[in-house]
Amino acid sequence: MNKKVPFIDPARNYQLIKNELDQAYFDVMTRADLINRKDLDDFEKNYADFIGTKYAIGVNSGYHALMLSLKTAGVGKGDEVIVPAHTFVASCSAVVNVDGTPVLVDVGEDYNIDVDKIEEAVTEKTKAIMPVHLNGLMADMPGIMPIAEKYKLIVIEDAAQSVGASIDGRKAGSWGTTGCWSFFPFKILGGYGDGGAITTDDPDIALAAKRMRYNGEDRNTRDYYGHGYTCLLDNLQAAFLDVKLRHLPDWIIRRKFVANRYKNAFSNIEELILPHYDYPGFDHVYQNYVVRTKYGDEFSDYLKKNGVEVLTQWRKPYYKYDALALVDRGFPETEALSAEVCSLPMNVEMSDEDVDYIIKVVKSYFESK
Ligand SMILES: *Cc1c(COP(=O)(O)O)cnc(C)c1O
């Protein structure tokens, strides 16, 4: 076995849509539309339509989408925000950087926040909850929204990993006060550098976010409405993302096809836990295809040694880093899964032969057991 399958292959992905991307590049460069121009407006409109919200506001990263959402929704000093113990560190850092206090809650077997553990984390200071839709599967929003209503919590969805995912046809990023998006190159809708967006139905939040991303300045009146940031989504990135958005529905179908091939190939391997759930109404878009096995690093090292590039996110939970100064209240599911997870290659640019090869390597590992 001597083939190599990368985790993602941006150069091959580029070849799939090279003509359209090159055209977008020449258009933008010829017009010299560099900051806050038509391509950004167009993309924002199309993105809001796709998610099903009134507004989308392009920013320069998923982190800034989260941070600006918290800020414009009024989360600040002394406010507690519930975040999952198993997520990318940025979800939590956004809370800390608006002077809020993150309160971590364990996740369930689907890697998303455990709804049954939310209420015990609520205090008088709780102001918001940040459900994270990890790996392409939404957190249980029908379970979370009534809790948020009961305690009057602001809901900020970290939807960075779930573009196109839905529950009962209602898409991620359209349930909370805001939905927060990342267009980091690894994401399903990835740009060519950093990028992000906020989606919302709230006109005040949309307006405030638009001002804050541009140094607090209103582009129409030229007045300042507060101390802001410089964190616009680049106009050129928006043009590229608009091209990719047109391919997104087909690309999600392809991801589901690959996920199904993995499922068919591995479902009789008892020691391998697969990311397929029979939750009625949930549509999984497989940002990541995360499997779990008690063999942990031995399994992921074997795949890497045999040319299959995998990710193990995250072996060390973020709250275990002393420098982040977070409260570890004990999160047994997060601890257990952290030692066992392994993300197999999942993207639209790999070929059927690549998938065959990955399947062969995974099977060979368990045959040797
Ligand atoms: C990628 C990601 C982010 C942050 O996105 P950036 O664009 O890298 O800032 C936040 N939360 C989750 C769950 C992510 O996967």
Side-chain angles (χ1 to χ4, degrees):
M1 294 193 279
N2 51 14
K3 201 172 149 74
K4 276 208 167 359
V5 183
F7 190 72
I8 63 163
D9 193 341
R12 206 198 267 186
N13 185 283
Y14 171 55
Q15 293 303 324
L16 298 176
I17 50 172
K18 182 177 185 316
N19 291 345
E20 288 165 85
L21 287 172
D22 291 354
Q23 191 58 52
Y25 171 79
F26 287 125
D27 283 353
V28 172
M29 295 304 276
T30 306
R31 283 184 266 120
D33 276 347
L34 305 181
I35 304 277
N36 210 5
R37 304 302 277 270
K38 163 183 179 302
D39 307 272
L40 180 60
D41 290 344
D42 289 351
F43 172 67
E44 287 176 338
K45 190 184 171 307
N46 294 335
Y47 197 68
D49 285 349
F50 179 79
I51 300 303
T53 53
K54 289 201 185 102
Y55 311 96
I57 302 97
V59 292
N60 69 342
S61 71
Y63 165 77
H64 279 92
L66 293 164
M67 196 271 277
L68 280 188
S69 288
L70 291 163
K71 218 164 171 100
T72 55
V75 177
K77 207 170 177 57
D79 294 332
E80 291 180 357
V81 180
I82 292 172
V83 294
H86 178 60
T87 179
F88 182 50
V89 66
S91 319
C92 183
S93 299
V95 175
V96 173
N97 289 340
V98 299
D99 292 327
T101 305
V103 175
L104 278 51
V105 168
D106 206 2
V107 296
E109 56 162 24
D110 60 2
Y111 307 107
N112 285 326
I113 194 163
D114 184 340
V115 174
D116 294 335
K117 294 189 176 147
I118 293 173
E119 287 201 76
E120 66 199 42
V122 173
T123 73
E124 272 128 63
K125 293 184 183 158
T126 310
K127 177 102 177 223
I129 178 166
M130 185 188 289
V132 180
H133 310 307
L134 215 62
N135 300 320
L137 180 75
M138 284 181 68
D140 178 6
M141 295 308 283
I144 292 167
M145 294 308 286
I147 299 174
E149 260 158 52
K150 179 171 163 190
Y151 296 99
K152 300 197 173 10
L153 307 181
I154 295 158
V155 179
I156 306 292
E157 294 177 71
D158 181 342
Q161 297 197 3
S162 284
V163 60
S166 60
I167 301 172
D168 294 332
R170 184 168 167 194
K171 287 219 175 82
S174 72
W175 292 67
T177 301
T178 69
C180 301
W181 303 95
S182 168
F183 306 127
F184 186 80
F186 275 35
K187 310 289 161 133
I188 294 180
L189 182 63
Y192 298 90
D194 280 315
I198 296 168
T199 47
T200 186
D201 281 331
D202 184 324
D204 296 332
I205 298 256
L207 182 63
K210 273 196 148 181
R211 289 167 172 168
M212 295 309 276
R213 71 176 179 178
Y214 209 90
N215 300 297
E217 182 184 330
D218 190 297
R219 297 298 292 157
N220 297 319
T221 66
R222 298 288 164 123
D223 293 322
Y224 295 117
Y225 287 84
H227 290 285
Y229 305 85
T230 305
C231 57
L232 265 164
L233 178 62
D234 285 336
N235 198 66
L236 183 60
Q237 288 291 352
F240 294 147
L241 288 164
D242 215 25
V243 168
K244 284 191 148 187
L245 184 58
R246 293 199 284 271
H247 294 274
L248 188 60
D250 284 344
W251 284 357
I252 288 172
I253 291 169
R254 173 70 188 168
R255 298 181 92 92
K256 290 179 182 175
F257 176 80
V258 172
N260 220 39
R261 288 211 52 208
Y262 285 150
K263 182 184 178 192
N264 292 336
F266 303 144
S267 50
N268 57 353
I269 303 175
E270 245 167 59
E271 292 169 312
L272 196 64
I273 301 167
L274 305 178
H276 298 274
Y277 310 90
D278 48 5
Y279 299 167
F282 282 61
D283 191 28
H284 197 326
V285 294
Y286 299 99
Q287 159 74 54
N288 300 309
Y289 194 88
V290 181
V291 298
R292 245 178 108 163
T293 148
K294 64 178 183 192
Y295 299 112
D297 280 341
E298 191 195 294
F299 174 68
S300 51
D301 290 346
Y302 177 88
L303 295 186
K304 286 181 207 162
K305 229 175 39 226
N306 286 284
V308 177
E309 192 186 356
V310 293
L311 289 189
T312 51
Q313 285 177 323
W314 294 268
R315 277 288 180 263
K316 181 173 173 176
Y318 67 90
Y319 56 82
K320 297 266 187 199
Y321 287 85
D322 291 340
L324 303 189
L326 297 164
V327 182
D328 177 357
R329 296 184 299 116
F331 309 110
E333 185 64 20
T334 298
E335 300 254 316
L337 71 87
S338 297
E340 298 185 347
V341 286
C342 176
S343 302
L344 302 182
M346 169 55 79
N347 58 65
V348 297
E349 57 270 13
M350 63 183 174
S351 65
D352 289 340
E353 292 71 42
D354 292 333
V355 180
D356 291 340
Y357 182 72
I358 296 160
I359 288 172
K360 192 169 97 180
V361 173
V362 170
K363 281 187 159 171
S364 75
Y365 176 80
F366 288 99
E367 275 153 19
S368 72
K369 283 281 143 195

